[in-house]
Amino acid sequence: MSYKLAYSTLRWQNPDLEPALNRLAEAGWQGWESRLPLNWMGTPERLRRVCDDAGMPLVVLTANGTPDSRDRENIESNRRRMEFAAEMGCDCFMYMNGGKPDDRPVSDDDVRAAAEGADEWAEYAAQFGLELTYHIHTNLLVDSIDHWKLYMENLRTAKLCIDVSHAQLWGYDPVASLWDFRAQLNYVHLQDWATTTRRADGYYDPQWCQVGEHGNVDFPAIRGVLDEIGYDRWVTACPGQPIPGREDPMSEAERSDGMVTYLRGIGY
């Protein structure tokens, strides 16, 4: 089957949205993921008009902060983002973990408490018909296969975005992880690296590249398991390292052509 392909605008800063989204649509993307501040996107009415004109719906909005933190300002500002996402008709609202403790290793209780905070956010979003999705990510609070599994065991309401590159960095085969977590999966990120190292303190340091550029992740096999489990929601691709002088949104949109061509060529 073919998939709904979106582009992650993770590095866009103060973009001129109209031409940039039009350029993404021209490349062949069908939607986009935003991490922009609300005061840049404007009202939902305004952003819907921009998206409709480009034929590029906003499919995922991300948190600004993490549900690991129970700080009131953090909670309230992200509730406004959830409300905005719901008004935009987003497929889900994405969040990540926060950082690790400075003075000690991460404990199982830390992981359980983080999952509890995520479910509190998810319960708030649910009143608007909006799902949360937890984006796995190296170098944050949950940073191992065991803690990932523990975190998912403790989630009641929030669901899961598997970024296949981060699963592989942890040593969890992306195909196996998609199969194992299929019941909680509601979003997928495709990302790739050219090279990767790991410091003595455990910090992962990949050099990101365009999806399919170096072939370190088996994207055809990932498409196969998505078919097998009957996944039918959004698949979003992330850009590679910025190129000096071509970091602006329009240049990134132009570079994205090759990712769409690659992904459609292998059956996405």
Side-chain angles (χ1 to χ4, degrees), residues 15 119 263 266:
D119 276 330
L263 290 170
I266 59 172

Side-chain angles (χ1 to χ4, degrees), residues 186-222:
N186 66 348
Y187 192 35
V188 173
H189 258 199
L190 304 181
Q191 191 167 211
D192 198 4
W193 67 80
T195 61
T196 186
T197 58
R198 193 176 184 193
R199 298 188 322 214
D201 63 0
Y203 186 94
Y204 297 87
D205 190 20
Q207 296 300 302
W208 303 112
C209 65
Q210 299 290 86
V211 170
E213 188 175 1
H214 284 270
N216 286 313
V217 179
D218 192 345
F219 295 107
I222 288 162

Side-chain angles (χ1 to χ4, degrees), residues 54-201:
M56 282 285 292
L58 174 63
V59 298
V60 173
L61 184 64
T62 68
N64 181 9
T66 173
D68 299 3
S69 168
R70 309 302 174 86
D71 175 76
R72 179 180 176 276
E73 183 176 347
N74 175 59
I75 292 170
E76 287 301 317
S77 65
N78 279 288
R79 284 181 172 182
R80 303 296 84 76
R81 290 183 72 81
M82 291 179 222
E83 293 156 7
F84 188 98
E87 286 198 45
M88 287 298 300
C90 288
D91 191 58
C92 51
F93 183 82
M94 189 177 83
Y95 71 92
M96 298 182 190
N97 288 130
K100 301 173 185 178
D102 293 330
D103 55 350
R104 60 176 175 80
V106 177
S107 70
D108 288 357
D109 284 344
D110 292 329
V111 173
R112 293 187 187 98
E116 181 181 345
D119 276 330
E120 289 174 3
W121 278 27
E123 288 160 10
Y124 183 83
Q127 67 184 303
F128 309 113
L130 179 67
E131 291 182 356
L132 258 66
T133 189
Y134 159 58
H135 181 304
I136 63 167
H137 203 288
T138 50
N139 304 324
L140 297 177
L141 182 81
V142 173
D143 200 21
S144 69
I145 296 172
D146 287 344
H147 272 170
W148 182 14
K149 289 181 176 178
L150 178 64
Y151 188 86
M152 299 312 301
E153 288 168 3
N154 282 272
L155 282 186
R156 303 183 313 276
T157 307
K159 297 188 182 297
L160 173 66
C161 168
I162 292 183
D163 183 305
V164 296
S165 64
H166 291 283
Q168 188 160 317
L169 285 168
W170 282 335
Y172 202 148
D173 177 67
V175 170
S177 71
L178 289 161
W179 176 263
D180 292 345
F181 291 113
R182 62 193 182 279
Q184 292 167 289
L185 187 71
N186 66 348
Y187 192 35
V188 173
H189 258 199
L190 304 181
Q191 191 167 211
D192 198 4
W193 67 80
T195 61
T196 186
T197 58
R198 193 176 184 193
R199 298 188 322 214
D201 63 0

